[in-house]
Amino acid sequence: MKLADTGLTQQDIRDLVNTYMIETYERYDFVAERAEGMYLYDPDGNAYLDFYGGIAVNNAGNVNPKVVAAIRDQVGDIMHTFNYPYTIPQALLAKKVCDAIGMEKIFFQNSGTEANEAAIKLARKYGTDHYNSKKYTIISASNSFHGRTFGSMAATGQPGTANQNGYGGMTPGFVYAQFNDLDDFASKVDDTTIAIMLEPVQGEGGVHPATQEFLQGIRALCDSKGLLLILDEVQTGWGRTGSLMAYQQFAIRPDIVTMAKGLGGGVPIGAMCTTRRIAASFTPGTHGSTFGGSPLCTAAALAEVGEIMDRDLPGNARRMGAYLMEGARTLPHIREVRGMGLLVGFEFDSSVNALDVKHEALRRGLLTTAIGTSIIRVIPPLIVTSFHIDEALSILRDAILVTCGELASAHA
Ligand SMILES: *Cc1c(COP(=O)(O)O)cnc(C)c1O
């Protein structure tokens, strides 16, 4: 939809949203009317350089032509039919994903939190099937993020935050251990433990990558205790960190992996992959989803995954991620730059407020995200080039200096 066709103004759009929507989002003050590649455009034609990629979703670029063509083709054939008939794009995507990442079975959902619900349910069901009905505890990491529904929310290791406060208590069966602390995880294992659930890089928690020793140690711990390793690759998956799945760079394989954000190129889709043996605990009637794996969304994802693989976007993420991190270390007031591939966090010293930097960068045409008040996270589409990175770092440099009062905004 174009604003010009509605007879409304940008302010009208903001007013409608503010009046009628339940607002749990801190809005960016512009109307996004159109997008292409590395840019979003407002109705006046102002361009915004996209370094948040719809929150790590638009991996093959905004409005990727191959994804658009796949959706256009599919939408006229069949959009939705529920999972009783076999459908063609679903079959092709299932094989493509499993083959690409070394997994055997897939279950389709509509989002990251749902993919994690499927993983949690499958692990618990597996515990009941193979051990006993008391074996369902999952150990996850402090400061993790796994989603906003009750199971994923309980797996999220953020007690006492707005994510969890005020909801009448969390789903039982979750305990937290310190991320990157193998001994702490080992000490939390008991007779009720069935799985360990982790992000290879904690995204929402401030961009903290797991160490090699930690993830490999967790794999060995799971093997020795008969536990399932669940990796949440909702944010890290589909090329973001420099390989299709981040775990490929840790030389391990999880028992269950979840994905969503980067899988569909912008359509809502999530998935959980596992082995044939573990998958056997889900049988007809034990789990399901009305929309999960619809022809429309799987056709889009098939095109997106094709683009990511055919154009070696993980390779570009690796190269451009290194270039971005090197450049970011020269920004003023930087305390630490960390990340993996194109999931990068810039942590500032206490003289900088990351929220102010985010808003100032937006005024200068750059989209980023802030985590708390000290971290800027950048998660651009994986088609980003050094030209875009130079531009983004230059805008960020000015935004940092302006918000610290070290550069007059008129000079911009
Ligand atoms: C975004 C995210 C989720 C939740 O995904 P939704 O699609 O928003 O439900 C879960 N886990 C991780 C690691 C995420 O980054």
Side-chain angles (χ1 to χ4, degrees):
M1 269 184 147
K2 299 285 200 295
L3 190 66
D5 301 332
T6 65
L8 300 173
T9 65
Q10 293 191 53
Q11 191 54 48
D12 293 335
I13 297 298
R14 283 190 280 260
D15 289 345
L16 286 173
V17 166
N18 293 334
T19 304
Y20 291 104
M21 285 188 63
I22 297 172
E23 200 59 291
T24 66
Y25 306 105
E26 204 221 326
R27 294 274 177 178
Y28 292 6
D29 196 21
F30 79 109
V31 175
E33 185 183 61
R34 196 166 70 72
E36 191 184 328
M38 283 298 302
Y39 294 91
L40 274 69
Y41 299 90
D42 71 15
D44 295 331
N46 296 311
Y48 296 83
L49 180 56
D50 183 10
F51 269 59
Y52 89 127
I55 309 283
V57 168
N58 302 317
N59 284 11
N62 288 282
V63 192
N64 178 290
K66 293 252 170 73
V67 177
V68 171
I71 293 172
R72 286 217 165 103
D73 277 354
Q74 188 62 45
V75 81
D77 290 338
I78 187 166
M79 276 193 258
H80 173 80
T81 174
F82 192 60
N83 285 297
Y84 293 151
Y86 293 95
T87 67
I88 297 157
Q90 190 182 75
L92 299 184
L93 182 64
K95 175 175 168 53
K96 185 150 187 121
V97 168
C98 288
D99 287 355
I101 67 169
M103 287 281 153
E104 294 173 338
K105 290 283 206 176
I106 190 165
F107 193 94
F108 290 114
Q109 304 272 182
N110 311 292
S111 64
T113 197
E114 280 187 17
N116 286 334
E117 294 292 332
I120 292 163
K121 286 177 72 175
L122 180 62
R124 287 184 174 214
K125 186 71 169 33
Y126 175 92
T128 300
D129 291 353
H130 291 265
Y131 300 93
N132 59 66
S133 63
K134 300 232 159 49
K135 201 155 171 84
Y136 62 81
T137 304
I138 294 174
I139 310 173
S140 61
S142 297
N143 206 34
S144 56
F145 183 79
H146 296 294
R148 302 252 185 206
T149 51
F150 264 94
S152 311
M153 189 161 77
T156 292
Q158 298 187 24
T161 66
N163 287 341
Q164 300 189 344
N165 266 355
Y167 293 111
M170 290 294 108
T171 304
F174 293 89
V175 294
Y176 311 130
Q178 285 303 316
F179 192 64
N180 274 338
D181 184 340
L182 185 57
D183 291 341
D184 196 30
F185 271 83
S187 77
K188 299 275 162 53
V189 176
D190 66 22
D191 287 346
T192 70
T193 311
I194 189 57
I196 291 177
M197 181 167 183
L198 290 168
E199 298 156 271
V201 181
Q202 290 193 328
E204 306 300 310
V207 189
H208 296 281
T211 64
Q212 291 279 330
E213 310 77 67
F214 174 66
L215 259 199
Q216 288 169 5
I218 290 284
R219 178 67 274 179
L221 176 66
C222 287
D223 290 342
S224 72
K225 303 277 186 190
L227 310 178
L228 303 180
L229 173 55
I230 304 171
L231 288 184
D232 176 348
E233 294 235 25
V234 169
Q235 186 157 164
T236 52
W238 294 106
R240 172 66 44 196
T241 66
S243 48
L244 286 180
M245 292 292 134
Y247 63 74
Q248 293 165 315
Q249 291 176 71
F250 291 88
I252 60 157
R253 203 181 71 157
D255 300 295
I256 298 174
V257 60
T258 60
M259 60 196 70
K261 292 190 167 92
L263 172 60
V267 301
I269 185 169
M272 172 200 63
C273 288
T274 186
T275 64
R276 233 173 259 121
R277 196 176 75 84
I278 297 164
S281 284
F282 269 174
T283 51
T286 53
H287 189 56
S289 170
T290 299
F291 291 114
S294 80
L296 186 63
C297 292
T298 49
L302 194 59
E304 175 79 4
V305 166
E307 280 284 88
I308 290 170
M309 293 174 69
D310 297 348
R311 293 168 63 183
D312 187 24
L313 295 184
N316 195 54
R318 222 163 29 242
R319 287 185 297 275
M320 288 301 110
Y323 182 77
L324 170 65
M325 282 193 251
E326 190 187 304
R329 292 196 173 99
T330 70
L331 289 174
H333 298 291
I334 282 283
R335 179 178 286 157
E336 189 181 27
V337 176
R338 51 180 186 259
M340 206 175 156
L342 287 169
L343 168 50
V344 181
F346 312 156
E347 183 158 356
F348 297 106
D349 66 32
S350 56
S351 60
V352 176
N353 183 320
L355 281 172
D356 294 344
V357 172
K358 180 184 81 173
H359 288 299
E360 185 60 30
L362 174 65
R363 279 192 280 279
R364 292 160 185 263
L366 174 69
L367 299 167
T368 62
T369 67
I371 299 174
T373 55
S374 64
I375 299 167
I376 288 281
R377 174 182 49 168
V378 294
I379 32 181
L382 309 184
I383 60 168
V384 71
T385 67
S386 57
F387 166 81
H388 304 118
I389 290 173
D390 292 345
E391 177 72 11
L393 290 174
S394 151
I395 292 174
L396 274 172
R397 177 181 306 278
D398 287 351
I400 293 162
L401 293 175
V402 165
T403 60
C404 292
E406 293 168 22
L407 176 73
S409 37
H411 293 179

